[in-house]
Amino acid sequence: MTRTKPAAFVLAFVWASTAALAQAPQQAEATFHNQQGQEVGKAIFTQTASGVLIEIELSKVPEGKHGFHIHESGVCDAADGFKSAGGHFEPAQHQHGYMIADGPHAGDMPNQFAGSDGRLAANVLNSNVTLSEGPTSVLDADGSAIIVHANPDDYASQPSGDAGDRIACAVIEKR
């Protein structure tokens, strides 16, 4: 029986680990809080070849459709109704909405639905943003936030789709 040297195993393990890390997709995460400061959910952001896949799961959300957007600043101050997150993320100066010729904002995303149990779970692909460096990165110097609004987005009204109050906010942070 031949004995393999421990150093060879260590070298193989380090090589395999490095290769696996090099292929791991870039990710970010966010923790949602409501206006009362309670933690109400999480989001995981994964860079894909087609854009950023956003997996969300929230609780304590009023039943019905809700506007869902990435906002321009990574600040979620409940004291100001999350207005601290700024407007919708839009580095290219497009207008808001899917129904507008010069739209949508990079941070515009389809409405999401919360059930009668207050649970909102979804997977959304946003092909207008990235986790990589550059003008469409939601991980820029001042960060970005993801917001759930009280009402559905009408996909046309300026500047934010008449989606109402911001009821949950989460700062997007690199993993």
Side-chain angles (χ1 to χ4, degrees):
M1 180 179 278
T2 307
R3 298 186 102 192
T4 307
K5 295 182 181 180
F9 280 122
V10 170
L11 185 58
F13 176 76
V14 169
W15 178 82
S17 297
T18 303
L21 287 175
Q23 295 174 2
Q26 187 174 4
Q27 290 192 315
E29 60 189 1
T31 301
F32 284 96
H33 291 87
N34 63 19
Q35 289 189 353
Q36 292 72 42
Q38 300 169 314
E39 184 177 316
V40 294
K42 300 265 185 203
I44 302 295
F45 300 75
T46 303
Q47 184 66 55
T48 74
S50 300
V52 175
L53 177 64
I54 307 166
E55 300 173 74
I56 62 167
E57 192 164 322
L58 286 90
S59 60
K60 301 180 183 178
V61 179
E63 181 178 10
K65 286 184 186 177
H66 298 275
F68 180 63
H69 308 108
I70 296 172
H71 284 249
E72 63 190 349
S73 297
V75 181
C76 288
D77 186 354
D80 71 1
F82 302 128
K83 290 184 170 91
S84 53
H88 294 177
F89 181 74
E90 183 37 56
Q93 304 307 311
H94 289 150
Q95 289 191 330
H96 169 76
Y98 293 116
M99 305 301 206
I100 299 297
D102 192 28
H105 288 147
D108 288 350
M109 295 182 286
N111 290 322
Q112 298 303 310
F113 184 83
S116 60
D117 61 356
R119 189 167 175 271
L120 189 160
N123 288 315
V124 177
L125 180 68
N126 186 324
S127 59
N128 295 315
V129 300
T130 185
L131 299 179
S132 302
E133 289 186 31
T136 60
S137 177
V138 296
L139 298 173
D140 60 5
D142 68 345
S144 301
I146 189 163
I147 300 271
V148 176
H149 291 268
N151 303 320
D153 185 331
D154 67 11
Y155 301 135
S157 296
Q158 300 303 312
S160 61
D162 199 25
D165 290 340
R166 300 167 184 202
I167 62 171
C169 184
V171 175
I172 303 168
E173 298 175 323
K174 190 173 184 174
R175 251 183 161 181

